């Protein structure tokens, strides 16, 4: 587990990267047991077709590069791809939009859920690594409804963090949706604290959104910033 993470980080530093690509970032999350969306990194359209068929439609197609952190604003994200015909058209749009940028294409399962969360880790100059939890998606910046703990944290700390946000009712059974699996969510928060303690080359981790599918929170986008 740690060996894979170390090799990803060292290779990125050797290449002069200040941030990891989404694919690299989620590899690190998965190595620490944080649930991530199924995805495959490909170079061309033919590989994308094979990956989409293997994952199963509908899929999401993203241009994946450490040079790009805001894909939506740059037209480098296509969601709700229903079949191969959609995929071909989406791939061509991304290919044109990504001209001049080094990277590949990420074919990802379409994770559907009405609830979006954010989890993260920031290395504070005074307190060291701190774990963050709150409402995700567009609400992260609008509402800033988040809670923090200094790492390392235990399960009870993670559960307390969930109770501290104003929008905590989103974790309960609401509008026919089951309550969020708090044990799994706590496991992810504890893992972020462990990452911060064990991987000193990481400055920041941003997992947004973490979409709740059924009762399971799944990381669908992530960014790791290096020190």
């Amino acid at each position: 587990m740690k060996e894979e993470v170390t090799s990803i980080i060292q290779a990125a530093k050797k290449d002069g990267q200040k941030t990891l690509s989404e694919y690299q970032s989620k590899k690190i999350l998965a190595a620490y047991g944080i649930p991530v969306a199924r995805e495959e990194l490909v170079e061309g359209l033919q590989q994308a077709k094979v990956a989409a068929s293997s994952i199963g439609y509908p899929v999401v197609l993203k241009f994946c590069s450490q040079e790009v952190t805001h894909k939506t604003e740059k037209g480098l994200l296509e969601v709700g791809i229903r079949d191969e015909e959609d995929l071909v058209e989406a791939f061509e749009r991304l290919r044109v939009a990504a001209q001049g940028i080094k990277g590949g294409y990420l074919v990802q399962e379409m994770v559907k859920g009405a609830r979006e969360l954010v989890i993260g880790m920031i290395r504070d100059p005074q307190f060291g690594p701190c774990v963050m939890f709150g409402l995700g998606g567009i609400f992260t910046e609008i509402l800033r409804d988040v809670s923090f703990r200094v790492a390392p944290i235990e399960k009870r700390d993670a559960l307390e963090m969930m109770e501290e946000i104003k929008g905590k009712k989103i974790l309960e059974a609401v509008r026919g949706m089951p309550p969020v699996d708090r044990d799994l969510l706590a496991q992810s928060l504890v893992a972020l604290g462990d990452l911060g303690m064990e991987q000193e080359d990481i400055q920041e981790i941003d997992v947004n959104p973490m979409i709740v599918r059924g009762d399971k929170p799944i990381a669908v986008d992530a960014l790791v910033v290096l020190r």
Side-chain angles (χ1 to χ4, degrees), residues 22 60-64 71 76-77 94 104-106 108 220:
E22 178 182 343
V60 175
L61 184 66
K62 305 176 180 181
F63 189 75
C64 184
K71 302 178 191 70
L76 299 175
L77 169 67
L94 257 63
Y105 298 86
L106 203 56
Q108 186 183 94
V220 299

Side-chain angles (χ1 to χ4, degrees), residues 78-111:
E78 296 276 346
V79 301
I81 298 170
R82 299 164 297 177
D83 51 34
E84 192 171 291
E85 184 180 345
D86 273 2
L87 180 66
V88 172
E89 293 174 0
F91 190 92
E92 180 58 21
R93 286 194 292 271
L94 257 63
R95 188 190 66 77
V96 172
Q99 283 184 346
I101 307 172
K102 183 182 175 184
Y105 298 86
L106 203 56
V107 182
Q108 186 183 94
E109 67 172 322
M110 184 88 181
V111 179

Side-chain angles (χ1 to χ4, degrees), residues 177-189:
M177 296 181 288
V180 174
D181 185 336
R182 294 192 186 214
D183 289 338
L184 185 59
L185 185 53
Q187 174 189 310
S188 296
L189 291 168

Side-chain angles (χ1 to χ4, degrees), residues 43-90:
E43 294 180 3
L45 177 57
Q46 197 53 46
Q47 286 181 316
K49 289 179 181 179
V50 174
S53 179
S54 172
I55 290 170
Y57 290 98
V59 296
V60 175
L61 184 66
K62 305 176 180 181
F63 189 75
C64 184
S65 169
Q66 67 268 16
E67 298 175 27
V68 179
T69 54
H70 299 290
K71 302 178 191 70
T72 307
E73 294 159 19
K74 292 181 169 63
L76 299 175
L77 169 67
E78 296 276 346
V79 301
I81 298 170
R82 299 164 297 177
D83 51 34
E84 192 171 291
E85 184 180 345
D86 273 2
L87 180 66
V88 172
E89 293 174 0

